[in-house]
């Protein structure tokens, strides 16, 4: 019988903290990341690190490549659901 698991949503605040930590460790400035991601202003990045919004899949992918951190290491799920697999 397959193991059951609970689906969860993402914790935007904790994900933002992880993104912020990864940015600090990378040495890149917010302005540099803005340019690399092709954003017209830095506000989306500030919204991500404050946990107000989550990056789109495209931006998350590019961010993970730039910061050299796997996407799933930047994301924090809500609650304590089990991961499938």
């Amino acid at each position: 019988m397959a193991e059951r698991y609970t689906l969860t949503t993402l914790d935007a605040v904790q994900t933002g903290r992880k993104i912020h930590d990864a940015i600090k460790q990378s040495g890149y400035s917010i302005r540099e990341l803005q340019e690399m991601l092709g954003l017209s202003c830095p506000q989306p990045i500030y919204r991500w690190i404050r946990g107000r919004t989550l990056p789109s899949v495209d931006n998350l992918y590019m961010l993970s490549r730039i910061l050299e951190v796997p996407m799933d290491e930047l994301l924090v799920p809500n609650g304590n659901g089990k991961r499938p697999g």
Side-chain angles (χ1 to χ4, degrees):
M1 181 179 272
E3 180 182 334
R4 291 182 170 243
Y5 62 91
T6 304
L7 295 175
T8 62
T9 58
L10 295 173
D11 184 323
V13 172
Q14 292 301 319
T15 295
R17 288 182 182 146
K18 278 204 160 188
I19 291 171
H20 190 228
D21 290 345
I23 291 170
K24 285 195 299 190
Q25 287 182 358
S26 75
Y28 288 116
S29 71
I30 299 296
R31 191 65 73 178
E32 289 171 319
L33 286 173
Q34 170 200 335
E35 291 174 11
M36 288 184 222
L37 292 168
L39 301 172
S40 60
C41 64
Q43 274 63 40
I45 299 170
Y46 288 115
R47 284 195 286 277
W48 304 338
I49 63 178
R50 290 183 182 120
R52 292 189 180 147
T53 62
L54 292 168
S56 68
V57 173
D58 288 344
N59 284 328
L60 181 64
Y61 175 76
M62 289 302 300
L63 195 59
S64 76
R65 297 292 302 251
I66 292 165
L67 302 177
E68 299 179 4
V69 176
M71 289 190 332
D72 63 334
E73 288 185 21
L74 293 173
L75 301 173
V76 179
N78 273 320
N80 39 342
K82 297 177 193 170
R83 293 182 71 168

